[in-house]
Amino acid sequence: MTRKPFEIVAECVMAGLPTGADIGRIREQIETARRSKPEVVRAAVNPPAIHRDIQYVLQTRFVVWAEDNARAVQVVEALMKDAGVSYQSVFPSGRALAEADVPAPPKTAKPKRAASTRRAPATKRRPQMKKSRRTR
């Protein structure tokens, strides 16, 4: 299957109104987790948080290269768990992304054969002549 870019939205749940420091901390946690998932090429936290029911929701958006929407959602859910950020929902944004507008997907290379570990040939040394003692 060919992979294409999908925009996925995750709604982070906050107990209280997040401060700038809280949003920065979440941004750092998500970015650190994103680096371990090569198929996620972009992550953005979109402040301000929205008050919904009795909690605040902070929206984050991800660009994921995947085979389909369902796989892209799974990748983002795993990323959020790895980041340690609680989320209310993860869903496709429905926005169409042009492949030229997003960073390139990671290369899916075939496993290479391990290179042999041959040693370089030893250099030949010239035999050294013993120094003779000078007699007086």
Side-chain angles (χ1 to χ4, degrees):
M1 276 186 130
T2 59
R3 296 185 312 163
K4 49 188 186 172
F6 293 95
E7 184 178 58
I8 305 298
V9 176
E11 294 180 332
C12 304
V13 178
M14 311 290 289
L17 179 64
T19 64
D22 294 331
I23 293 170
R25 180 181 46 79
I26 289 171
R27 183 177 288 128
E28 287 175 18
Q29 288 174 281
I30 288 173
E31 182 59 29
T32 301
R34 186 199 65 78
R35 288 188 205 117
S36 69
K37 305 249 182 253
E39 59 269 34
V40 180
V41 294
R42 188 179 295 155
V45 177
N46 300 335
I50 301 164
H51 188 262
R52 192 178 295 160
D53 297 327
I54 59 170
Q55 59 198 4
Y56 287 88
V57 176
L58 184 63
Q59 199 175 70
T60 57
R61 293 183 178 270
F62 301 88
V63 175
V64 181
W65 284 88
E67 295 79 27
D68 57 16
N69 271 328
R71 176 66 185 138
V73 167
Q74 290 173 347
V75 169
V76 171
E77 287 174 340
L79 183 145
M80 296 297 280
K81 287 178 184 170
D82 291 348
V85 176
S86 62
Y87 60 92
Q88 180 177 30
S89 59
V90 177
F91 54 91
S93 72
R95 196 173 134 209
L97 299 176
E99 292 183 18
D101 295 339
V102 297
K107 303 286 185 206
T108 53
K110 295 178 184 175
K112 294 183 179 179
R113 203 175 109 216
S116 65
T117 55
R118 296 176 89 192
R119 298 173 100 194
T123 57
K124 293 184 179 179
R125 293 185 180 186
R126 291 186 181 173
Q128 292 184 352
M129 310 239 334
K130 291 185 179 179
K131 292 183 182 177
S132 62
R133 289 189 186 181
R134 289 189 192 179
T135 55
R136 292 186 182 188

